[in-house]
Amino acid sequence: MSAPLNHTPLFDLHVDCGAKFAPFAGFEMPVQFPTGILKEHTQTRNAAGLFDVSHMGQVRLTGTSMEAVALALESLIPADYVGLAEGRQRYGFFTNAVGGIMDDLMVTNAGDHFFVVVNAGCKEQDIAHMRAHFGNDIKLEVLDSRSLLALQGPMASEVLARLAPEVADMRFMDAAAVSILGHDCFIGRAGYTGEDGHEISIPADKAEEVCKALLAEPEVEAIGLGARDSLRLEAGLCLYGHDITTDTTPAEGAISWSIGKRRREQGGFPGAYKIVAQ
């Protein structure tokens, strides 16, 4: 017997919006809404689309110093996190001993901690992987009481700025703690559609209120995972488990651009011998 599917905190709102659901990474997720995938795709390209990505894993890392946490991350990921400035985020991926990609992820220097977002299907293994290698000096907190929203499209920043004016000044890959409707959110100017936009980490019990406020804006529509996939394909973005796997090295997956000069020269990450040679 298969295990029952989990629901994100926005499940009831998706039902009210007429979503069609399908299982994904252990969750019952909205694949499309009544307008259909094609219109959801063009809506995001032309205005703004709101995605529920609360199935993703959110993690907070702290330690004796920010450098200590950055070095711990660099022992598992080929990206440069020691040099990542406060309020900035950077793409990376866990590699195994032979250079294969275990998962890709986003890491943010939030000032007093590192904020990590991992893929839903790899969430449990990624958390176990970090805990097994970091030791007692690094504290890992799973933020399972928070939802994650993605507002994407050319109008996304303008719309979000009506609720949080400071986001208008954020650059691509900036991140900041921001209040929306009085709720403490953590926002990064990034996404997974090839468009401008923001990802919003928010207390789970406040997510529906913020979603409804965003959907009330004339430029915004609810978008499902079907259009999320077509948008990332059109933008040439990799999906873990499809385009990149443990059998794919960064060079083979065309994502070695994310490995900076210092990490290429110094190594110190799993599979470095093969990845650097390629």
Side-chain angles (χ1 to χ4, degrees), residues 55-215:
H55 57 313
M56 305 281 279
Q58 301 180 66
V59 173
R60 175 189 173 103
L61 297 175
T62 54
T64 54
S65 67
M66 288 294 284
E67 183 179 16
V69 182
L71 288 170
L73 285 165
E74 287 190 3
S75 72
L76 301 179
I77 304 169
D80 176 4
Y81 294 123
V82 171
L84 184 61
E86 181 176 345
R88 294 289 289 169
Q89 53 187 336
R90 182 162 292 157
Y91 175 75
F93 36 81
F94 294 119
T95 53
N96 62 25
V98 292
I101 301 165
M102 298 171 61
D103 191 18
D104 61 344
L105 65 158
M106 291 290 288
V107 176
T108 304
N109 180 341
D112 62 349
H113 69 279
F114 279 92
F115 175 62
V116 181
V117 177
V118 299
N119 283 307
C122 302
K123 181 166 47 179
E124 292 184 4
Q125 76 168 33
D126 289 350
I127 291 167
H129 183 60
M130 286 187 280
R131 281 184 167 147
H133 288 85
F134 286 170
N136 297 327
D137 292 336
I138 307 297
K139 179 182 176 182
L140 186 155
E141 179 185 0
V142 181
L143 304 177
D144 50 13
S145 63
R146 297 186 73 84
S147 287
L148 192 64
L149 316 175
L151 184 66
Q152 299 282 289
M155 301 297 294
S157 185
E158 179 179 329
V159 168
L160 189 57
R162 295 170 195 160
L163 302 180
E166 56 267 53
V167 304
D169 296 326
M170 293 176 70
R171 302 165 297 160
F172 177 62
M173 299 295 265
D174 273 354
V178 173
S179 176
I180 301 179
L181 302 180
H183 308 313
D184 294 332
C185 300
F186 191 75
I187 297 178
R189 191 160 190 170
Y192 189 56
T193 61
E195 288 292 343
D196 188 15
H198 300 267
E199 293 192 338
I200 307 163
S201 175
I202 182 171
D205 60 348
K206 310 301 182 186
E208 184 170 330
E209 179 186 355
V210 171
C211 276
K212 286 181 175 178
L214 290 169
L215 291 171

Side-chain angles (χ1 to χ4, degrees), residues 29-68:
M29 295 295 294
V31 174
Q32 67 179 73
F33 291 88
T35 55
I37 292 173
L38 179 59
K39 289 187 177 179
E40 291 174 33
H41 183 112
T42 56
Q43 166 71 26
T44 307
R45 285 281 181 254
N46 296 327
L50 183 63
F51 301 79
D52 177 13
V53 288
S54 302
H55 57 313
M56 305 281 279
Q58 301 180 66
V59 173
R60 175 189 173 103
L61 297 175
T62 54
T64 54
S65 67
M66 288 294 284
E67 183 179 16

